[in-house]
Amino acid sequence: ENTQTLLNKYRDSHLCFNDDIQGTGSTTLAGVLGAIRAKGQDVKTLGDERIVIAGAGSAGIGVAQVLMQAMIEQGRTEKEAKNAFYIVDQHGLLGTERMDELAAEQKEFARETDGGLSLMDVVKQIKPTILLGMTTVGGLFNEEIVKEMASNCERPIIFPLSNPTTNAECTAEQAFEWTDGKCIFASGSPFDPVTMDDGRVFYPTQCNNMYVFPGIGLGATVAGAQKVTDKMLYIAAETLANFVSDEELAQGKVFPHIEKIREVSHKVAVSVAEEAVREGHATALKTKDKEDLELFFANKMYYPEYVPLVEKR
């Protein structure tokens, strides 16, 4: 319960990073931006989405904070950005009537009306375009909820992010079946490809923090960044989202194949370092280093290849 407090205390004075809050948030943001691309929309339209988050712990609130900052980065006011979020915990929609029992970061997203509404009622009333799950409650996104969402949304974005698989809010097969293949799906746990009755095949991808934290760590430390800023997290997510090809998006993927993880990490690291330079706190980069950051960071990456110690005969 102290993770957010500690992050808030030290993030502006020390080079630190909380993967559960910032890593999950940045990775989820990348998946959401990729999903918006898959809908044929510009990623700058993030602020137009209606987002329901099931789970108000550090991960759920962390994701909301990163998504909100991304909207502000894209030009929305803080009030407009906050209004896009509806966060539900085991007691229902976070509302101002519970301010005495909410943590400071939860209060930021408490709604003035409809506090306590169940997840099903929130979906019916709000008609979300994005549904994110971070509850570890397996099967929470049941058929009624998913079908209700799909009935009011042409391409529902559904991310059950809890793991392991038994804790996933729904499976890939359920999401695609209940939406007739309309949904854009990513999950915290891995799922096999889904074949529909009409022969369509969808390849669900895993929303895993491994896509961003190695690149953020490499970019920040090698650049000598004094802190990890919200803009760095946004840039990391945008870089990852743009790495996904149109062909992958057409197959239902919103994250690149794991085989490309080194290339992804390199791109993210360079983008994070470039942002540190723009913000004026990349203390370890010399002028000659900045001339070709792509090459500079490629030379800084570790390759686990070893020379044999015993000659083979």
Side-chain angles (χ1 to χ4, degrees), residues 3 27 36 59 77 91 107 115 162 201 223 256 259:
T3 52
T27 307
I36 291 174
T77 65
H91 303 297
K107 292 177 181 179
S162 296
V201 181
E259 291 179 351

Side-chain angles (χ1 to χ4, degrees), residues 190-246:
F191 286 104
D192 292 330
V194 175
T195 302
M196 304 292 288
D197 291 339
D198 58 10
R200 288 177 296 164
V201 181
F202 297 100
Y203 299 85
T205 45
Q206 189 176 1
C207 182
N208 193 298
N209 295 10
M210 66 183 175
Y211 283 112
V212 297
F213 75 76
I216 292 175
L218 178 64
T221 54
V222 172
Q226 295 177 319
K227 56 186 175 181
V228 175
T229 65
D230 288 333
K231 184 65 178 289
M232 286 176 168
L233 299 176
Y234 175 77
I235 291 294
E238 191 174 56
T239 300
L240 174 55
N242 289 331
F243 193 92
V244 183
S245 67
D246 291 338

